[in-house]
Amino acid sequence: MESVVEFSRVLRCKAAAATADTRYSDKINLPPSYLAALLDRRNGSAHREPVGAQRWTRDSAFGSSNDEHGPALGDSDRLPSPLIFRLTQRKAAPLTATEHPGRNAVHCGVREFSCDEGDVAIPEWVMQNAGLCEGDSVAVEFVQVEKGTSAILQALDPAAQSVGNVRALLEAHMRTRLTALFVGETFHVPVGGMEQPLAFAVATLEPMGAVDVVDTDLAVDLLHVDGSAAGGAANGSHGSSSIEELVPGTPRAVKADANHPCTFQLHVPAHVKATDVVLVCRPGSDASLCASRLVRNVGIIDNSWFDYSPPSQQPKRLRIAREQLPSGSNTVYVSVVGFPAACDATIEVLFDAPPPSEQASLSVHTPDSSSGPDEPVCANCGSSVPAARLEMHRAVCERHNAKCPACAHVFKRGSAELERHWHCEQCGAAGEQGDRSKHDYFYHTPHACACDPGHAYASLADVAEHRRTLCPERLIECQYCHTIVAQGPAATTAEAILLGQHAHEWSCGSRSIQCTKCKAYVGIRKVQVHMRVHEMKDAAVRASMVPCANRECGRERGDNPLGLCTSCFGPLYTGQYDPGHHKLLKRLTRNLHAQMTTGCGSAKCRNPHCATGMRKTSGGAGAAPLSQTEAAAMLIPVLRAYAPLATAAPGHASIDYAAIDLHMCV
């Protein structure tokens, strides 16, 4: 089945500006005159006031009559949504009714009608699919296509096999960037944490070779490069499987420098409560240890866990608790970044290891401030000394020991530890002389973030903290579309700030879905509150509901003498005249007596006052039902409770239905 062409015009091709919104989108920019001519053609109007170079958008042709971007449009001017166009390379005149589109015809949507007259701005990847170059003549045809029902997509990159939830990734990409699909198309899907986007080819489509994918349920079958079908989700990995994997309990030799870090991936099983990554650098070399769950190219700036400790502190250690990872198995990326030059080290992973002990003090002696009434403290070393020996101890201590005035650590005079001991003049951090260069680089050298090159942060550590929290380029796993994307700019509204959502999640959560209970359309981010309202309403109804007198039923009591709901009272109702309810009580007695002696026969019955339920609850089919006399004796309390119906005047019987021990099979 072919697309229906309604209007066509030849324009000059030019590449659209590559931005975050247009780089992977299939939407083109057309001149305002194209929209005016299209409306004339659809309305059969030969004359229309000329349209200026206003900024025309999709809403101009579909919505209000007070659109600030262009002239008002009446009901007859409105176009179908979405607008889909077919692009075909042409050298001269546009297509006639008998001509067939070329082999490189592509289908796409429109972003706005604001392009220069005679030009059409097309994204570069769409130009590649159509075989177009800058300056080529292209026939832009407005076509009508059907909604897509099913598609088979072929992954062209092996890395797609290791993406966590590829179906959620495709759904989010099609919803935000694609308008139409056509057989033979190759589109690219960006993945957070990966340098290159994933490529997918459209193999087959139903019901036609080009379909509309806006606001439609499209059944997608995905084939990987090796021809295998894709499942729902892999093992939580978000990158290429070519990265080397760390195996618990197996040390690995590492060589890395600042420009070429060594990256590994680590699979953490669901039963592991704590994961320790330990890095031991060889003497004379140093490195930083970083890890992230989302960032594949993890480094000293883009990370979730880090150890920037100086060279004197060995080993480096990252401890990742289960609470810091989502449920199920997860992949963590670990990176070793050498400083300042190449580093030789050994890395090892331990699962559920005991917590690391506190690092040893740099001092030879730790002051002991505890003392008794007869044991004063030495002012030099801080030790408790008997009063009689204090003067002798002080003379020897001051001759052999030196106390650091900044941190109060005590060293032996002339020792190598005292010579290496160092304090930062700006922040007072303690360490060894060899730690100075790394400490100054990480904590006292201004750096800028890629999101705002004009703003310098006080230190690299501040930039890393910014990247982990407020940076618009920080990767997150969206709670609504379940894809790994940049979080976007910070929230500006009070509601977004309270929810802790940045631009992407706020926009993604604005989509509406239909409530399964009340059929109302609710924003995704408000679904939990909406369902909680339903629960509160249901609880209020249950609290005010008067229950059926039948203990085996949970429905609301009806208006009948027995205090039963309509379902339980239905089998007992007849149209006979019965002012004293004698016949009603006889029917109730017969039903209960037959239930106790022969049973209801239901396979799901668990009523202890039914012969069928007695057999199931007493442990087998061999349990004998009640005899006629035993059943009649059990009915006496029930009939006694309903006795006022037969003895009192009509409408004046007082019965406590909640006290009646009535068990009828429902």
Side-chain angles (χ1 to χ4, degrees):
M1 183 177 180
E2 294 293 337
S3 305
V4 179
V5 181
E6 292 197 11
F7 180 74
S8 178
R9 175 173 287 185
V10 175
L11 299 172
R12 184 173 56 255
C13 173
K14 74 173 185 178
T19 64
D21 294 333
T22 63
R23 184 173 290 113
Y24 304 106
S25 172
D26 70 349
K27 297 177 176 60
I28 62 176
N29 283 2
L30 290 169
S33 60
Y34 192 102
L35 177 62
L38 177 59
L39 292 173
D40 287 341
R41 179 66 174 268
R42 286 182 61 87
N43 297 328
S45 175
H47 302 284
R48 178 183 293 270
E49 294 182 3
V51 180
Q54 296 96 341
R55 183 182 178 87
W56 286 81
T57 63
R58 287 184 67 255
D59 295 336
S60 312
F62 299 101
S64 75
S65 58
N66 296 323
D67 195 330
E68 64 181 359
H69 300 305
L73 299 176
D75 293 338
S76 61
D77 290 331
R78 296 180 182 178
L79 299 173
S81 178
L83 298 178
I84 296 179
F85 299 88
R86 183 167 62 194
L87 308 181
T88 311
Q89 186 177 10
R90 286 292 181 271
K91 296 299 183 182
L95 289 175
T96 64
T98 59
E99 287 182 317
H100 192 275
R103 296 179 60 183
N104 289 335
V106 300
H107 290 72
C108 58
V110 62
R111 181 176 301 279
E112 57 190 27
F113 293 88
S114 61
C115 193
D116 296 335
E117 286 299 330
D119 291 341
V120 53
I122 308 174
E124 290 188 5
W125 72 273
V126 178
M127 292 173 58
Q128 293 175 2
N129 279 332
L132 295 170
C133 299
E134 287 262 9
D136 286 350
S137 295
V138 55
V140 182
E141 305 166 310
F142 173 60
V143 296
Q144 293 286 333
V145 298
E146 297 186 25
K147 294 284 187 181
T149 57
S150 64
I152 298 179
L153 303 181
Q154 173 72 58
L156 304 180
D157 192 333
Q161 209 157 2
S162 60
V163 172
N165 195 338
V166 66
R167 295 189 181 277
L169 182 71
L170 286 170
E171 179 184 353
H173 179 77
M174 291 184 183
R175 184 179 64 249
T176 56
R177 291 186 170 95
L178 297 184
T179 307
L181 290 179
F182 59 93
V183 175
E185 176 182 15
T186 299
F187 61 91
H188 298 81
V189 181
V191 182
M194 296 181 64
E195 295 181 356
Q196 299 297 328
L198 300 179
F200 295 89
V202 181
T204 61
L205 290 171
E206 293 292 341
M208 53 192 304
V211 297
D212 173 11
V213 295
V214 176
D215 295 333
T216 182
D217 292 329
L218 187 69
V220 176
D221 291 329
L222 181 62
L223 300 178
H224 286 306
V225 176
D226 58 2
S228 62
N235 294 326
S237 175
H238 297 283
S240 172
S241 58
S242 62
I243 301 179
E244 297 184 35
E245 185 171 349
L246 289 177
V247 179
T250 305
R252 296 284 300 272
V254 179
K255 275 196 171 186
D257 57 39
N259 297 323
H260 300 88
C262 189
T263 304
F264 302 90
Q265 66 179 1
L266 169 65
H267 294 283
V268 182
H271 62 83
V272 175
K273 296 182 179 179
T275 302
D276 287 86
V277 183
V278 182
L279 180 72
V280 180
C281 300
R282 289 181 173 83
S285 63
D286 184 49
S288 298
L289 185 60
C290 310
S292 175
R293 190 179 65 85
L294 302 179
V295 183
R296 182 172 176 266
N297 301 316
V298 58
I300 57 177
I301 292 181
D302 291 308
N303 57 64
S304 301
W305 303 275
F306 60 92
D307 188 339
Y308 300 152
S309 57
S312 62
Q313 297 184 17
Q314 295 287 344
K316 323 284 185 183
R317 181 185 291 265
L318 297 179
R319 187 170 181 87
I320 304 173
R322 165 52 56 185
E323 293 76 16
Q324 297 175 288
L325 298 173
S327 59
S329 300
N330 295 275
T331 296
V332 176
Y333 296 102
V334 180
S335 182
V336 179
V337 186
F339 181 89
C343 170
D344 292 335
T346 302
I347 190 170
E348 184 179 6
V349 175
L350 305 174
F351 285 160
D352 291 331
S357 59
E358 296 182 0
Q359 294 189 5
S361 172
L362 295 175
S363 62
V364 177
H365 175 73
T366 302
D368 182 10
S369 59
S370 60
S371 61
D374 297 330
E375 295 183 351
V377 176
C378 174
N380 187 56
C381 66
S383 300
S384 300
V385 183
R389 300 175 52 191
L390 179 61
E391 293 301 326
M392 182 179 297
H393 170 84
R394 183 178 298 169
V396 175
C397 181
E398 291 178 354
R399 185 169 62 252
H400 293 282
N401 298 326
K403 178 181 179 181
C404 176
C407 61
H409 287 284
V410 180
F411 302 88
K412 288 189 177 297
R413 291 187 181 275
S415 64
E417 290 82 359
L418 178 59
E419 294 295 328
R420 293 195 302 265
H421 188 63
W422 161 82
H423 279 278
C424 176
E425 298 177 355
Q426 301 184 55
C427 64
E432 297 183 355
Q433 291 291 343
D435 301 341
R436 183 192 300 269
S437 60
K438 185 175 183 179
H439 176 81
D440 289 344
Y441 177 75
F442 275 88
Y443 295 99
H444 300 298
T445 302
H447 286 79
C449 180
C451 69
D452 186 8
H455 174 71
Y457 289 85
S459 67
L460 188 65
D462 291 340
V463 177
E465 180 65 19
H466 166 73
R467 296 284 288 189
R468 283 189 290 270
T469 54
L470 301 177
C471 182
E473 297 182 7
R474 172 184 174 240
L475 294 181
I476 61 169
E477 187 171 5
C478 178
Q479 60 182 306
Y480 303 120
C481 64
H482 308 290
T483 58
I484 298 176
V485 293
Q487 66 180 358
T492 56
T493 63
E495 184 179 359
I497 294 174
L498 291 175
L499 293 175
Q501 296 180 356
H502 282 59
H504 172 80
E505 284 190 324
W506 182 255
S507 174
C508 197
S510 300
R511 294 181 291 117
S512 298
I513 59 175
Q514 191 175 25
C515 175
T516 57
K517 298 193 68 173
C518 65
K519 305 304 179 182
Y521 284 91
V522 185
I524 295 179
R525 62 171 171 267
K526 299 179 180 179
V527 167
Q528 292 184 343
V529 176
H530 181 79
M531 298 308 296
R532 180 60 180 161
V533 171
H534 279 302
E535 293 176 3
M536 295 175 63
K537 289 182 178 180
D538 293 343
V541 171
R542 288 192 297 268
S544 61
M545 183 186 72
V546 180
C548 176
N550 182 11
R551 299 294 179 87
E552 302 299 320
C553 177
R555 302 181 183 91
E556 187 174 7
R557 184 183 303 172
D559 185 15
N560 55 76
L562 300 180
L564 302 175
C565 67
T566 55
S567 298
C568 295
F569 185 72
L572 302 175
Y573 172 78
T574 65
Q576 294 179 340
Y577 180 70
D578 187 18
H581 305 295
H582 299 285
K583 296 179 181 179
L584 176 61
L585 293 177
K586 287 182 180 179
R587 289 194 297 274
L588 176 64
T589 304
R590 286 196 300 268
N591 284 9
L592 293 176
H593 193 268
Q595 173 183 296
M596 294 180 182
T597 55
T598 61
C600 65
S602 174
K604 299 180 180 179
C605 180
R606 293 295 185 273
N607 185 358
H609 293 252
C610 174
T612 303
M614 291 176 190
R615 297 188 188 100
K616 296 182 179 298
T617 56
S618 59
L626 297 178
S627 64
Q628 302 285 337
T629 305
E630 291 173 335
M634 291 184 64
L635 284 174
I636 292 176
V638 177
L639 297 178
R640 185 174 295 157
Y642 281 120
L645 290 176
T647 58
H652 292 80
S654 178
I655 301 176
D656 185 6
Y657 295 106
I660 301 176
D661 191 25
L662 176 62
H663 295 265
M664 293 176 58
C665 292
V666 293

